[in-house]
Amino acid sequence: ANAAPNTQFVVIAPQDVTLTANVSLIRSHPEFVYFAAGYLTAISAPDWRAGALLPDNGALGASAQDAFINGARYWCGRCAPTYGPVVLFPLVGMLPVGSPAASWQTAFDVINDSRIEVLYVAPEAASAELFAALLPQGVILSGSLPPEADVRARWAATVLEDAATPLQTLWPDLLAGQGGQTLTSSVRLQDVNAELLTPGRQERVQGVIDLLTQGLINPFSVPE
């Protein structure tokens, strides 16, 4: 940026950066994605039986689990099912980034002892091999990567970080040579299956996404 002062730069990052007249920041929030995914999973799950496969050493480390669980419990509180096995949902399986599909399947089998109905699969866990093993189990799926064709019938929605919308907002100022701004990324849904995530539930999820973007929900501090 110093070497090209007449060029506008936009950084998309989960941490703050030093802003200058030609450097703007779109602050990414992976915790928003996990929180929204937790809410979506819980609102879709019969008897609250929601689960997730998450990395324990990704961008958020073990805190990814906290954001996901808080998102689910923002909808259903204690998330205690009516029928046994009675545990408090959602249940999360966590493994390091790069773990093989067989290990992720084992992690799912552990939480599925309590009968998972809807499962969020983080990109670090997703693979064709894992989905091939999950589909015969009848579980409803969601994730943050677009689904392959053979998974779509069981796919509720894709939960994506949205940096494009704030970039569109910045664009006129960037063309005018006005930088040094900070905007916040949001979350968007795509690949929505309205039979698995009904329009009313989609509206609820979008409402939570709006509150996250406005800073009115802290994904790491949700009241019991």
Side-chain angles (χ1 to χ4, degrees):
N2 290 336
N6 294 321
T7 299
Q8 289 293 327
F9 294 85
V10 179
V11 180
I12 302 173
Q15 66 279 333
D16 292 328
V17 300
T18 300
L19 301 181
T20 64
N22 66 331
V23 175
S24 295
L25 171 67
I26 296 175
R27 182 75 153 74
S28 66
H29 288 275
E31 66 273 21
F32 289 1
V33 175
Y34 286 121
F35 189 94
Y39 188 87
L40 183 152
T41 305
I43 205 173
S44 307
D47 209 21
W48 318 132
R49 295 186 181 276
L53 297 177
L54 306 177
D56 60 12
N57 62 345
L60 295 179
S63 297
Q65 175 178 247
D66 298 334
F68 182 87
I69 290 174
N70 283 342
R73 294 185 176 171
Y74 189 72
W75 169 250
C76 55
R78 295 177 69 245
C79 306
T82 302
Y83 304 102
V86 177
V87 297
L88 299 183
F89 288 93
L91 300 180
V92 176
M94 302 190 79
L95 289 173
V97 174
S99 296
S103 297
W104 287 110
Q105 183 180 346
T106 299
F108 171 75
D109 291 341
V110 170
I111 63 174
N112 198 40
D113 281 345
S114 298
R115 186 51 192 157
I116 298 298
E117 295 281 359
V118 183
L119 180 72
Y120 170 79
V121 181
E124 295 85 352
S127 68
E129 294 85 353
L130 177 66
F131 289 131
L134 292 175
L135 286 175
Q137 312 253 10
V139 65
I140 297 170
L141 299 166
S142 67
S144 293
L145 292 175
E148 297 294 335
D150 58 345
V151 182
R152 284 184 177 273
R154 302 298 300 169
W155 193 262
T158 305
V159 188
L160 296 172
E161 185 163 23
D162 178 14
T165 298
L167 182 59
Q168 289 172 343
T169 301
L170 276 175
W171 198 253
D173 287 343
L174 298 176
L175 291 178
Q178 299 171 10
Q181 302 183 59
T182 299
L183 275 72
T184 298
S185 70
S186 184
V187 178
R188 63 184 173 89
L189 302 181
Q190 70 176 39
D191 308 311
V192 177
N193 183 334
E195 293 183 0
L196 302 177
L197 184 68
T198 62
R201 288 170 176 165
Q202 292 175 45
E203 194 172 302
R204 288 275 191 172
V205 175
Q206 186 60 54
V208 164
I209 290 171
D210 294 342
L211 292 174
L212 285 167
T213 305
Q214 295 164 25
L216 298 177
I217 294 177
N218 181 345
F220 297 119
S221 180
V222 175
E224 291 289 342

